Amino acid sequence: MKIERITLYHLRMQLKSPFTTSFGTTYDRECILIEAAAEGILGYGECVADRDPGYSYETSKTAWHIMSEFLIPALLEAEIGAPQIVRDRLGFVRGHPMAKSGLEMAVWDLFGKMNQRSLKAMLGGTAERVKVGVSIGIQASPEALVRVVADYLSLGYGRVKIKIKPGHDVREASAVRREFPDLLLQVDANSAYTLETASALSPLDDLDLLLIEQPLAEDDLWDHHLLQQTFKTPICLDESILSTRHTRQALDMAACRVINIKAGRVGGLSEAAAIHDLCHARGVPVWCGGMLETGVGRAANLALASLPGFTLPGDISATDRYYVRDITQERFVLNPDSTIDVPDRPGLGIEIDHQALQNATLAKQSFP
Ligand code: NPQ
Ligand code: MG
C-alpha cells in the first residue's frame, strides 16, 4: 500500500472542566488529527501533543513541523506492507514520539479498514471490556477534592487517580482515603519532586495506594530506584519510559514495579505493544495511561488496553468526562462494573463527526 494523501487538522477542544496538574491548568486541549487516504479509504490518528510543553517537550506546533517537514514526506514515499514497518521507517527522526505515534495510528486504522480487522485483533488484544478509572486534577482544597471524587464514584468509576504536587499531596490523599476506605486509589506527581522533597511523601505509604506515579524527574531512573527502596507502595513510571529499552533498564534497576503505557509517549502503538510484551513476560503489571484524548485516541487506548498484560485499570474514561463536544460519532459509556467496551469494528472502529471536527479546527493542511 502507498498512502496517497495526508491531511493534518490542528484542533482545539473545550474541556468540560479545567484540569490541573503539577505543571499547570488546561482549559482547552489542543491536538492534531491525522487523516491518511489510500485506495479510497480514510484512516485517522491522533497526535496528543498539547499547546504547551508541560507534560513533554512536544507541542502541537512542534509536532506539526516535524510531521509536515520530515515524517509525512517519508511516509508518502514508502511502500507500507504493514503498520509495523512505520516505526522503523520514521526512526530517522530523533525523538518526537507523539508526532510519530499519531501518524502510525492513522496507518493502523487504514490497514484495519482495508482488511476488515479491528485494532484490537491486529494488536493481539483479548478483552472485550477493559477496566477503567478516572484521573482527577488538583482541586482548591482537600474537601473540594473529596466532593469531586464522590461525584465520579456516583457515576460508577471504581478506580481514582488524584494529581499531586508539593503542598497538595498527603492531606489530599489522606482525606480521600479517610472518606473512601476501600477505593482503588493512586496518585500522580508528574515529576514534581526531587529525592529530597519526596521524603514528605512517606505518609502516603500507609494509605494503601495502588501506586505512586512518576514522583521524580523524567530523566532520573536512578533516583526512582533509590526512592522505591524506601516505599512499600509500588512506584509507577510514566514520563521516564520512552521505549522498550528504558522499560528493561528501569525494571533491571528496580526503579519501579509498575509501568504506565501511552502510545503517544513511546512513539506509537507498535512500541507500546512491545513494552506490554516485555512486561507481561516478566510478570510486571501495566496499565494504559491517558492524555485527555478525543474519541479517536480513546478508541486506540481501549484496543491497546485489551492486551492481556493490562491488569490495572486504565486512565480511559467515558466520553462524558472530557469535552463539551467530541469529534467522534461514538460515545464511550461506562458500564456499571467500571469497564468500557473495546471497539470491535474495523480499524479504530470509530466514525468522525465532521461538523464537530470542523468546529474544532484551527488549521488544516494536506500533503502533497
Ligand atoms: C498523566 N494524564 O498521566 C497525564 C498527564 C496529562 C489523564 O492524568 C494537556 C496535555 C493536558 C497533556 C493533562 C492524565 C494534560 C496532558 C494531563 C497530560 O500524567
Ligand atoms: Mg502520569
Side-chain angles (χ1 to χ4, degrees), residues 259-314:
I259 302 277
N260 164 321
I261 301 183
K262 293 175 179 167
R265 196 193 62 227
V266 304
L269 290 158
S270 297
E271 188 72 12
I275 292 173
H276 159 274
D277 295 348
L278 174 67
C279 291
H280 197 41
R282 294 176 65 148
V284 174
V286 304
W287 56 286
C288 184
M291 291 294 290
L292 308 181
E293 287 85 355
T294 73
V296 175
R298 205 118 32 81
N301 284 346
L302 288 165
L304 180 64
S306 75
L307 294 170
F310 283 81
T311 53
L312 289 165

Side-chain angles (χ1 to χ4, degrees), residues 153-168:
L153 296 186
S154 70
L155 293 174
Y157 289 101
R159 189 229 69 182
V160 165
K161 158 166 138 183
I162 62 171
K163 294 290 191 177
I164 58 168
K165 67 175 181 182
H168 293 265

Side-chain angles (χ1 to χ4, degrees), residues 182-232:
D182 302 323
L183 176 62
L184 298 180
L185 179 64
Q186 61 195 57
V187 298
D188 185 359
N190 288 110
S191 298
Y193 298 85
T194 64
L195 197 53
E196 290 71 35
T197 61
S199 60
L201 297 178
S202 59
L204 294 182
D205 218 15
D206 299 320
L207 295 181
D208 200 21
L209 302 179
L210 284 173
L211 55 90
I212 299 172
E213 185 176 345
Q214 196 71 40
L216 309 178
E218 64 182 64
D219 59 352
D220 202 348
L221 287 185
W222 183 251
D223 281 358
H224 278 105
H225 157 78
L226 295 176
L227 191 66
Q228 179 67 87
Q229 287 188 315
T230 71
F231 274 86
K232 308 187 295 281

